[in-house]
Amino acid sequence: MTAMAFVVICAVLMTAGRGLASGASGEVLAVRFGGDGDRTRVVVDLERSARGSVIEDGAEGRVTLALAGVASGRGLNGDGSGLVSGYRVAAGSGASRVQLELAKTAEIERRFLLPPGDGVRHYRYVIDLKAKSGTAAVAPRAGASMPAPRRAPRRADRPLIVIDAGHGGHDPGASGVHSRESAVTLAAAMQLKSELERTGRYRVRMTRDSNVYVGLYRRVQIARDAEADLFISLHADAGADPATRGASVYTLSEQGAGRAVREFTRGDNWHRALNLPGRDPSVDRILLDMTQRVTQNRSAQFARTLLTHLEAAERVLLRRSHRDAGLAVLLAPDVPAVLLEMGFITNPEDERDLNDERARRRMMRAVAEGIDRYFTQPGEGLQMASAANMTSGQP
């Protein structure tokens, strides 16, 4: 009995040891980008803490870092943004290698590890890149290949972005000490339109371009009628505590998605609005649910991309910056949509930024860069808008 007990204990300890060993190994979860062609922030999401060391510093057109303590996982790769033309995560000797192909000569300005916190449940290894002055574009390395764009727009020409300036007319929205929400959202919408059109890559339509009231469901219908590829609604938040500040992004909640489907299927000919066959109601309902699911996935992907660019632009974010809700302007089942709360108009610092043309333009430039990234990054690894790190509660 004593010998048998000893054998059992050894087996248990060995099993536990293997479990601990396997649990101790984390992976690289994702690589995100923010910034522009002068400064670019690269954020590597990690399951556990890692120690970074530089292998290539950018002098030869590539920045490579070894992250000891994490595995490469499924081997991420894709297009970059700003100073980075593309990236690849590969396995190394006892570490993961993050390889960044540079669009032009750049150097590492700083790098650091952020532990979980502020609503984020994983580690983040941050690499800030800075362009070297007077340098030209870096020729791509032989054999380097990048994936195709995330998805083609609905039409053969440029993607159509619908910008919604919140409130307006008899609905001024929230009030600050010096301004009204409807005024700052319209000013921001006009600047975002200018930023997007300046690139020559997008068609832009606004739900309003003056101080008029447009119904919430009419705003959604404008986007659907135009067959928009992306809908972004701009707002300014308000709170009882003047100290509360920061931007946040909302996507449609699961409850809101159910509401959207119910409202969309009220009419007899609802299937025609989505170009569904209309021969079998049960089949059409399944197709509608699938369409809604894809739209939610794309909305969530854009929300994460947008927040990365806002963070890189040093915009203050709420502690829980990605939220979900059943807001009316997010209900289109076939148009990816987000609502951006640009800051708290009830906070002195945020209100000042919302009314300062330079600060507002910098923020809208970050939004435009996020839209650029959304239309060029691969569509893999999508998550639902109700995934972890979000809440519909207060800041």
Side-chain angles (χ1 to χ4, degrees):
M1 291 294 294
T2 302
M4 183 176 293
F6 178 76
V7 171
V8 170
I9 291 173
C10 289
V12 170
L13 289 175
M14 289 175 64
T15 302
R18 285 195 298 267
L20 288 172
S22 61
S25 175
E27 295 184 354
V28 176
L29 300 173
V31 180
R32 300 177 286 128
F33 300 87
D36 52 30
D38 293 322
R39 278 184 166 81
T40 299
R41 170 163 288 185
V42 184
V43 181
V44 184
D45 294 329
L46 307 170
E47 279 189 324
R48 57 166 295 174
S49 178
R51 186 178 69 259
S53 58
V54 177
I55 298 174
E56 295 179 279
D57 63 2
E60 300 299 324
R62 174 188 282 177
V63 169
T64 303
L65 288 95
L67 297 179
V70 289
S72 58
R74 53 191 175 91
L76 302 172
N77 66 85
D79 288 340
S81 179
L83 292 167
V84 180
S85 61
Y87 75 91
R88 188 180 309 277
V89 180
S93 178
S96 292
R97 289 197 175 194
V98 178
Q99 300 173 345
L100 306 173
E101 301 290 345
L102 300 179
K104 62 180 181 180
T105 306
E107 60 185 353
I108 298 173
E109 186 174 22
R110 59 181 175 269
R111 54 191 177 90
F112 51 91
L113 180 71
L114 290 174
D118 292 336
V120 179
R121 299 180 181 179
H122 53 263
Y123 286 84
R124 290 155 291 168
Y125 196 89
V126 179
I127 309 155
D128 284 337
L129 302 176
K130 179 178 67 173
K132 290 186 176 180
S133 59
T135 57
V138 174
R141 291 175 177 242
S145 61
M146 296 301 155
R150 183 195 138 275
R151 71 181 181 100
R154 298 180 182 215
R155 298 178 180 179
D157 52 6
R158 298 165 297 166
L160 173 62
I161 315 300
V162 172
I163 306 171
D164 174 45
H167 303 279
H170 64 77
D171 176 20
S175 298
V177 175
H178 305 290
S179 56
R180 292 290 186 91
E181 182 179 3
S182 59
V184 298
T185 59
L186 181 58
M190 297 297 289
Q191 286 177 314
L192 178 56
K193 179 176 183 289
S194 176
E195 290 292 329
L196 290 172
E197 290 179 336
R198 184 172 58 85
T199 68
R201 291 187 289 272
Y202 304 99
R203 295 171 294 137
V204 182
R205 181 168 179 179
M206 297 179 63
T207 58
R208 69 179 183 95
D209 56 9
S210 61
N211 187 28
V212 297
Y213 176 76
V214 180
L216 297 178
Y217 294 103
R218 176 58 187 156
R219 297 169 192 252
V220 175
Q221 196 59 45
I222 288 172
R224 296 199 66 247
D225 289 346
E227 296 186 348
D229 296 286
L230 184 66
F231 177 90
I232 178 167
S233 186
L234 303 178
H235 286 258
D237 221 332
D241 184 359
T244 303
R245 66 175 306 202
S248 59
V249 177
Y250 282 84
T251 49
L252 189 64
S253 64
E254 286 295 318
Q255 293 80 3
R259 172 190 166 195
V261 170
R262 288 192 300 272
E263 293 191 3
F264 199 80
T265 55
R266 281 180 179 176
D268 293 333
N269 297 319
W270 60 268
H271 55 274
R272 294 182 182 175
L274 283 174
N275 297 318
L276 299 177
R279 297 174 182 173
D280 186 333
S282 61
V283 173
D284 282 351
R285 178 56 187 266
I286 293 172
L287 293 176
L288 174 59
D289 289 339
M290 292 173 64
T291 299
Q292 176 76 76
R293 180 70 58 176
V294 171
T295 299
Q296 280 185 278
N297 285 349
R298 289 173 174 165
S299 300
Q301 183 187 24
F302 174 59
R304 294 193 301 274
T305 301
L306 178 56
L307 286 168
T308 298
H309 282 266
L310 291 173
E311 183 181 25
E314 298 181 353
R315 183 66 190 173
V316 176
L317 303 179
L318 279 179
R319 184 169 61 88
R320 299 183 183 96
S321 53
H322 188 177
R323 299 166 173 241
D324 62 342
L327 302 170
V329 292
L330 303 178
L331 293 181
D334 52 352
V335 179
V338 303
L339 184 146
L340 169 61
E341 294 281 6
M342 299 180 291
F344 278 74
I345 201 169
T346 49
N347 174 270
E349 291 84 3
D350 275 0
E351 186 183 18
R352 183 179 63 246
D353 287 346
L354 289 170
N355 285 279
D356 180 79
E357 184 175 359
R358 292 183 62 183
R360 197 172 55 229
R361 184 172 297 280
R362 184 182 183 191
M363 185 178 187
M364 291 304 103
R365 184 168 293 127
V367 174
E369 291 168 354
I371 291 173
D372 259 346
R373 177 64 183 161
Y374 169 75
F375 281 104
T376 57
Q377 67 183 347
E380 298 179 357
L382 296 176
Q383 297 177 3
M384 290 307 301
S386 57
N389 303 334
M390 287 190 297
T391 179
S392 53
Q394 292 300 310

